[in-house]
Amino acid sequence: MISKTTFRSQGKIDPQHWARLKNILADALELPSEEAQTAFLEERCAHDAVLRAEAESLIREAHALSEQPTDFLEDCAEHATRTLWQEEPSAHGWRIGAYEVVRELGRGGMGAVYLATRADGQFEKEVAIKVLKRGTDTDEVLRRFAGEKHILARLDHANIARLLDAGTTDDGLPYFVMEHVAGSPVTRFVLEQNLSLEERLGVFLKICTAVEVAHHNHVIHRDLKPGNILVNAEGEPKLLDFGIAKLLSAEGGLDITATAEQRLTPICASPEQTDGRPVTEASDVYALGALLYELLTGKHPQVFPNARPSSEEIARVVREQEPERPSARVSNRQTARWLRGDLDAIVLHALRKNPKMRYAKVADLAADVRRHLAHEPVLARRPTVAYRFRCLVRRPAFRVAAAAAVLLLLGAGGFSLWQRAGTVAVSPPELGLPPDARKSIAVLPFETLGDDNPPAYFADGVQDNILTDLGRVGDLKVISRSGVAAFRGKSRNLKEIGRALGVRNVLEGSVQVSGDRVRVNAQLIDTQTDTQIWAEHYDRKVEDIFALQSELSQTIAAQLKATLSSGEKAKILKKPTEDLQAYDLYLRARAALRDPLQMDQHYDWSTAVSLLQEAIARDPKFTLAYCLLNEAHVYMYRFGEEHSPQDLTAAKEAAEAALRLEPDLEEARLALARYYYYGLSDYRQTEKELSRIPGSVAHEIEFFTLASLAERRLGQWEESIRDGEKAVELDPQAPALAVNLIQTYSGLRRFQESERLADAMAKRLGDATTTRLWMVKSEAAMGSGDFEKAEAALAATHNKDDANFQFARLLFKVMKGDRLDTKALTANASEELKKMASFWTVLGMSAHARGDEEESHRLFLEAKNVAQALLARRPDDPDYLSDLSVAEAGLGEKEEAILHARRAAEVRPMSSDALTGPTFQVRLAEVYVMTGDQDSALEILNEVVKRPFSVNYGELKFNPGWAPLRDDPRFAPILEQSRLPVPIDR
């Protein structure tokens, strides 16, 4: 191998060779490990052994010189580039404009940076001058360089290195002059100064403020790494290098994305940057989260699975690997205790893979850090009363007040001693609405007025379009359409509605159509004071309905003092179609289509499809009609009886048509995500499509619902709970959303939280409480072995004719040990219940448990017939395969039973579906018990009991299917484990 000493002594250096070497080295040094750098050099220098030897030698020397292993990447870059500087003729004395170069400070992908002083004697000042690199002065690079000047000229802040001057060198290379910052990278500074946790957070907040200023000027930095944030002698951080920043606005025609040429640092690049998705303010939020992670732990968020990751593997880790909690990455127990809770939540919220799931703005991230420092509840954590109270008691003011109260109580002790019989309960403080509640609103269903009444769907369309327009405003919290549907036609106590929905403002109105004119009355009410904020009457032609709705939406946003971006305004102003008759067909279809997730409702998918096809025939560019058509076909496929492949194909075609027409429309991307989740059960692709939704989410409720469901399937439990809670917050009247969340809690064996949420939802709904809500409450109670609560929940159910309720009631009786008259049950069962193979297998298990083998055989045979008939239509359905396996095991068909149980587990493995995958493993264990293989059953249970959505205490303790295992000593620890919540810590 050629040593560094050898190639240094070769005399005259080839500038092109050096330029190539330094470019390769610059890219290599941005990789997060020595192994990754070596692999990169092997790839880039595969056909040039000399070049590779030179690069490896320089990197090794940089490693040897590095004195700070915790900041390896920055030190390596510094030492290696210092070595390279020695190879070119000294730049000392070079005149650039009014400045004279003292020495070179560093090099990057676009050029070199020099330390210089004023040469004309006007004043003494050291500056940093950035000059475009020779050999790269293409039109594109010149444009990017000019863009950097333009960006920096707009930024003036104490924590941003200021632009002082700009110009062109004598040989035509652009340059600009910046404030010279003499300091250390921020991560090194906090270590060298041994800053406390609060001091580190103080430095971080200053950095956030600088980034906020950049964002306010429509600038995204895109490379917020420690080397671009230096801390000077006064302890002030300075933000450097906007070389790959992206200008958000179109001002000046700049678009400095340069995806193919961008040099991103893997430790701070967001997932969307690694695969070329749109970069937004959320990308800088992610980078700040990575920086905060390192400031708090001294480690990078990413951990690579092998010693020599390729660039593709690095990108995959950034996109897919969830970072470990910061508190788990530190060895000092006291530090871990300080990080646990708020700071863990804040950092991980900023590092969410999906940009829509992070803090929306840097200001929000900074605000949460300030809340933590002030001992106030942070938004990244669940706002339970217990958590808020803990925050309250940690505040100094509370402690002073508490101490004073103790003294007063002691002083008054003699007087009050005789009153001990009269106790007074102390309530937690009134929490009220959150601080930003003034920007929250519910748009209630509009009333229909007049003799010439418009159809109800027309007024619903006005309400829904206003709601959708307001939902596009990222600065507002808007309750979904289904969330306000419960208040249609009722006497409206707006204060109670505000409390029920968690909003400060309510918009209510009416619609009247007379001939070719439409009249809309609207008023905005403050629910806390029950006072009118604003009211207006509109009288327009029917053909102007879109302009009227847009005007009304903008007015409401202005009344709530919400910031409306130009992009949001453009979307609000855009007409959905120019054809009013097509729009009328669309509204009728929307009225016919009911979301099957909204329980106990009727829906008419076929009618909706016909109406939408007619609307599209009139206007083939009607994007929203394609989106709704996708919804109708997807739900027909997933929830209908036929499960027709034609519906699945039509759903995909409708989503793709919408995306072709308007690639940036949220509803179009949401339609494709809906197709992947409900149609193909492709949860990873669902999550990917959701992450591609640009801008604000018009239909936030479905966005968060789909996100929560997909995350649950992918085993991302904390994220699923957080997004499920967000969905419930946006639609607190939707039992289906609460049911999803209750099921998640129960699947994690967090039964107290299941019960809490179920009770809260039942209280909100009152008489409208759904059958399914009572059922999941009963299931949660049975999971913990509380049969009294389970029976009470089932008894409260209104619709006792529901087949699912009847099955739940049957399962309850079997687990309770009731002796069932199976012949009477089968004779009186509804036709819908008889179509469920599991109905027959449960009855078969009951007959077997009481020793009636003849009846058991009859029931298992019926279960087998039903399962086979279902499989004829869907041969690979794991539910049907699983039911068939139990029936075959009950009939003594051992080999067939095990074959089909294994097949079900293979079709839906735990690795691809964390929600239902464990269920099929449990069913396989059950089949092993029924066929006499207890060892295999115990082996499966011992592993699967540690997973969510597997088995719980109630099932293992009382289900007769597990009776043969209960005397085995290996079963006892499994049963004990099933009592405990499933740990989900990363």
Side-chain angles (χ1 to χ4, degrees), residues 661-706:
L661 289 169
E662 296 187 62
D664 294 331
L665 186 68
E666 294 92 338
E667 290 92 334
R669 186 64 64 182
L670 198 59
L672 194 56
R674 188 188 301 126
Y675 161 76
Y676 280 116
Y677 184 87
Y678 292 113
L680 297 188
S681 299
D682 188 338
Y683 311 119
R684 186 70 65 186
Q685 190 64 32
T686 301
E687 187 180 49
K688 189 173 182 179
E689 293 301 330
L690 290 174
S691 71
R692 288 174 172 172
I693 293 180
S696 61
V697 183
H699 293 85
E700 286 184 337
I701 183 64
E702 187 175 3
F703 176 86
F704 285 109
T705 302
L706 262 184

Side-chain angles (χ1 to χ4, degrees), residues 336-406:
R337 188 175 67 83
W338 285 336
L339 297 179
R340 193 175 299 121
D342 282 0
L343 291 174
D344 276 347
I346 289 169
V347 172
L348 295 180
H349 193 60
L351 290 174
R352 298 286 292 274
K353 301 300 182 186
N354 188 333
K356 301 303 299 183
M357 306 302 183
R358 299 175 205 142
Y359 293 101
K361 299 178 181 297
V362 173
D364 298 334
L365 167 58
D368 244 6
V369 173
R370 293 189 183 95
R371 290 187 189 99
H372 166 74
L373 290 171
H375 304 293
E376 296 176 355
V378 302
L379 300 184
R381 296 187 68 179
R382 292 178 51 237
T384 63
V385 172
Y387 166 60
R388 288 177 179 266
F389 191 74
R390 285 197 301 272
C391 292
L392 178 67
V393 300
R394 288 202 303 266
R395 298 179 198 171
F398 180 90
R399 292 175 180 173
V400 171
V406 170

Side-chain angles (χ1 to χ4, degrees), residues 272-566:
E272 60 268 24
Q273 285 175 276
T274 64
D275 58 9
R277 281 180 280 148
V279 175
T280 66
E281 293 179 15
S283 305
D284 278 354
V285 169
Y286 182 94
L288 287 169
L291 175 66
L292 182 57
Y293 195 110
E294 191 171 354
L295 288 174
L296 297 175
T297 67
K299 298 180 176 67
H300 302 314
Q302 293 86 11
V303 178
F304 295 95
N306 55 68
R308 303 180 67 177
S310 65
S311 56
E312 290 78 11
E313 288 172 327
I314 291 171
R316 181 183 57 79
V317 167
V318 172
R319 287 195 300 267
E320 299 179 8
Q321 184 190 86
E322 294 294 339
E324 195 172 10
R325 290 176 291 112
S327 61
R329 296 289 300 277
V330 295
S331 55
N332 184 286
R333 294 179 65 182
Q334 182 65 27
T335 303
R337 188 175 67 83
W338 285 336
L339 297 179
R340 193 175 299 121
D342 282 0
L343 291 174
D344 276 347
I346 289 169
V347 172
L348 295 180
H349 193 60
L351 290 174
R352 298 286 292 274
K353 301 300 182 186
N354 188 333
K356 301 303 299 183
M357 306 302 183
R358 299 175 205 142
Y359 293 101
K361 299 178 181 297
V362 173
D364 298 334
L365 167 58
D368 244 6
V369 173
R370 293 189 183 95
R371 290 187 189 99
H372 166 74
L373 290 171
H375 304 293
E376 296 176 355
V378 302
L379 300 184
R381 296 187 68 179
R382 292 178 51 237
T384 63
V385 172
Y387 166 60
R388 288 177 179 266
F389 191 74
R390 285 197 301 272
C391 292
L392 178 67
V393 300
R394 288 202 303 266
R395 298 179 198 171
F398 180 90
R399 292 175 180 173
V400 171
V406 170
L407 291 174
L408 287 172
L409 288 171
L410 288 174
F415 172 76
S416 62
L417 189 60
W418 65 276
Q419 290 183 316
R420 281 188 291 179
T423 59
V424 179
V426 179
S427 302
E430 178 62 41
L431 299 178
L433 292 172
D436 60 347
R438 65 184 180 84
K439 295 185 180 181
S440 58
I441 186 171
V443 182
L444 298 183
F446 277 36
E447 296 181 57
T448 299
L449 301 179
D451 297 330
D452 187 13
N453 286 345
Y457 67 79
F458 186 85
D460 287 346
V462 173
Q463 173 226 5
D464 196 48
N465 287 331
I466 294 170
L467 188 152
T468 300
D469 285 345
L470 293 175
R472 298 188 191 280
V473 182
D475 205 24
L476 289 177
K477 170 191 170 182
V478 184
I479 299 298
S480 73
R481 173 167 51 100
S482 56
V484 298
F487 301 101
R488 179 191 300 276
K490 296 183 178 179
S491 57
R492 296 174 175 178
N493 184 320
L494 297 183
K495 281 190 175 181
E496 290 182 2
I497 291 175
R499 283 194 294 269
L501 298 177
V503 295
R504 177 70 177 267
N505 307 285
V506 161
L507 179 72
E508 59 177 4
S510 61
V511 178
Q512 180 179 358
V513 174
S514 179
D516 65 346
R517 302 197 69 80
V518 58
R519 297 182 179 88
V520 176
N521 292 301
Q523 61 175 342
L524 186 64
I525 307 295
D526 184 321
T527 62
Q528 287 194 321
T529 62
D530 202 15
T531 58
Q532 186 183 85
I533 301 172
W534 165 92
E536 188 59 80
H537 170 77
Y538 299 88
D539 189 339
R540 305 283 175 83
K541 288 186 176 181
V542 173
E543 63 192 46
D544 295 328
I545 187 64
F546 298 132
L548 187 157
Q549 291 167 169
S550 298
E551 180 182 340
L552 207 161
S553 300
Q554 291 179 79
T555 301
I556 297 302
Q559 290 293 328
L560 298 181
K561 295 181 171 56
T563 302
L564 189 64
S565 71
S566 57

Side-chain angles (χ1 to χ4, degrees), residues 627-869:
C627 295
L628 198 62
L629 183 61
N630 158 272
E631 185 176 337
H633 280 298
V634 160
Y635 288 159
M636 271 202 292
Y637 175 80
R638 180 63 174 263
F639 301 105
E641 292 186 2
E642 296 302 321
H643 306 293
S644 169
Q646 286 76 19
D647 282 321
L648 195 57
T649 301
K652 182 182 181 183
E653 290 174 349
E656 290 175 341
L659 280 169
R660 281 194 302 272
L661 289 169
E662 296 187 62
D664 294 331
L665 186 68
E666 294 92 338
E667 290 92 334
R669 186 64 64 182
L670 198 59
L672 194 56
R674 188 188 301 126
Y675 161 76
Y676 280 116
Y677 184 87
Y678 292 113
L680 297 188
S681 299
D682 188 338
Y683 311 119
R684 186 70 65 186
Q685 190 64 32
T686 301
E687 187 180 49
K688 189 173 182 179
E689 293 301 330
L690 290 174
S691 71
R692 288 174 172 172
I693 293 180
S696 61
V697 183
H699 293 85
E700 286 184 337
I701 183 64
E702 187 175 3
F703 176 86
F704 285 109
T705 302
L706 262 184
S708 178
L709 293 175
E711 287 159 345
R712 189 168 69 172
R713 299 277 187 170
L714 295 170
Q716 299 168 7
W717 305 108
E718 290 182 358
E719 291 82 356
S720 177
I721 288 173
R722 184 178 296 127
D723 292 329
E725 289 177 339
K726 182 66 175 177
V728 171
E729 177 190 347
L730 291 170
D731 193 348
Q733 298 294 315
L737 302 180
V739 163
N740 287 338
L741 193 53
I742 292 167
Q743 287 177 323
T744 302
Y745 284 138
S746 295
L748 296 169
R749 301 201 288 264
R750 290 160 59 170
F751 297 117
Q752 288 184 338
E753 292 179 81
S754 299
E755 183 180 4
R756 171 189 60 79
L757 181 57
D759 288 343
M761 193 68 192
K763 184 178 180 180
R764 278 202 297 269
L765 293 176
D767 293 339
T769 303
T770 63
T771 298
R772 187 65 180 135
L773 183 65
W774 291 121
M775 286 170 56
V776 292
K777 182 178 179 180
S778 174
E779 290 165 5
M782 282 195 289
S784 61
D786 192 333
F787 280 81
E788 185 177 345
K789 283 185 178 179
E791 189 164 25
L794 290 173
T797 302
H798 301 308
N799 183 10
K800 292 182 171 57
D801 294 329
D802 181 87
N804 289 313
F805 166 77
Q806 292 174 350
F807 179 75
R809 182 74 179 174
L810 171 64
L811 192 59
F812 169 79
K813 289 181 177 180
V814 170
M815 289 181 64
K816 191 179 176 185
D818 290 354
R819 187 176 181 85
L820 302 180
D821 184 348
T822 53
K823 290 184 179 179
L825 283 170
T826 56
N828 296 322
S830 66
E831 290 303 313
E832 187 177 359
L833 195 59
K834 290 178 181 178
K835 293 178 182 178
M836 300 167 58
S838 52
F839 166 71
W840 300 101
T841 59
V842 169
L843 288 177
M845 295 290 289
S846 175
H848 175 75
R850 69 172 185 266
D852 190 343
E853 294 304 324
E854 181 179 348
E855 178 67 1
S856 173
H857 186 277
R858 180 185 76 83
L859 293 166
F860 280 127
L861 184 60
E862 186 63 33
K864 179 179 178 180
N865 292 335
V866 172
Q868 286 178 330

